[in-house]
Amino acid sequence: MDGQGGASGVAAQAGAGAQGGIAAGGGGAQVGGAAANAGAAGSADAPGLALLYADHSSADKEAKTASRSIRPNFLIENQGEASVPMAELSVRYYYTLEAASTQTFVCDFVNKDAVVDDCDRVKAAFGSLNGTEAKHYVEVTFEPANGAAWLLPPLGGQSGIIQVRFYNGNFTPQDQTNDYSFDPTKVDVPEPWQHVTLYRRGVLVSGLEPN
Ligand SMILES: [Ca+2]
């Protein structure tokens, strides 16, 4: 199938006992920088960047309270007047595990004609929070191959659909209804949603972090 990337997985322990920070099996260096600055929200140095989200649970016939995979679709749009390298951006999806578990991330699909055209270069790491609205998050980052720019064009340029999923190591069911970023009313086609966040060089530029 065109655009079908391989599994670019990281498996990480997202235990309930972890204190903040990121526990990850891969891509940790880049993501760590984003986490360190993520609290300094506000002065967006790239006004016009927007993160769109959809729930892709339609790929599985299973109850939202017993989901083996969490399946967000993302799309990033650049309404600014300058191109933006995807490598400077990161996306967070927030949720709460029902029990500590090893987790695995997979990029399932990107469009090979889009800016983000290689699932193997879509990376992620898992982290945990001490908040009341979410205890865990997955942070997605973009590492284009040498020679590939992955530049978001100005004035409405889009990344293309980024279809990912993550699951517990043993596929234990997850209740998505208590997950901060989950919105089953946004089906498959990405649209604006404040409960997912976008960062540029670690600074929040779109969305609202959970409390
Ligand atoms: Ca949950």
Side-chain angles (χ1 to χ4, degrees):
M1 177 188 298
D2 284 353
Q4 189 76 41
S8 65
V10 297
Q13 195 72 34
Q19 289 288 324
I22 288 180
Q30 177 173 347
V31 174
N37 298 320
S43 60
D45 62 348
L49 281 172
L51 173 62
L52 286 69
Y53 153 90
D55 169 48
H56 189 46
S57 293
S58 62
D60 299 308
K61 288 184 168 57
E62 57 191 15
K64 304 292 191 288
T65 52
S67 303
R68 279 167 297 184
S69 291
I70 294 177
R71 295 177 171 272
N73 286 352
F74 299 114
L75 188 142
I76 299 168
E77 190 170 274
N78 177 22
Q79 293 289 353
E81 296 183 351
S83 298
V84 175
M86 288 293 299
E88 295 184 358
L89 306 181
S90 56
V91 168
R92 285 191 183 185
Y93 181 97
Y94 302 89
Y95 58 103
T96 298
L97 284 174
E98 279 60 62
S101 173
T102 297
Q103 295 190 278
T104 298
F105 169 89
V106 178
C107 176
D108 271 335
F109 179 81
V110 295
N111 190 321
K112 72 170 194 168
D113 298 320
V115 169
V116 175
D117 62 358
D118 184 353
C119 250
D120 288 341
R121 299 289 177 164
V122 177
K123 307 294 187 182
F126 295 97
S128 57
L129 303 165
N130 292 319
T132 56
E133 293 182 313
K135 300 294 187 191
H136 305 92
Y137 62 87
V138 62
E139 181 162 290
V140 180
T141 53
F142 307 94
E143 301 177 15
N146 290 338
W150 278 16
L151 279 178
L152 274 182
L155 305 176
Q158 296 187 337
S159 62
I161 188 95
I162 301 161
Q163 198 171 94
V164 303
R165 78 190 141 93
F166 55 99
Y167 51 89
N168 288 339
N170 49 5
F171 287 103
T172 50
Q174 300 191 57
D175 180 358
Q176 293 195 81
T177 62
N178 63 8
D179 293 346
Y180 177 79
S181 292
F182 179 63
D183 184 351
T185 70
K186 295 173 170 52
V187 182
D188 292 334
V189 179
E191 56 185 291
W193 175 225
Q194 291 292 297
H195 281 206
V196 290
T197 53
L198 175 68
Y199 304 86
R200 184 176 189 188
R201 296 193 294 268
V203 177
L204 181 69
V205 294
S206 176
L208 296 171
E209 295 175 331
N211 292 315

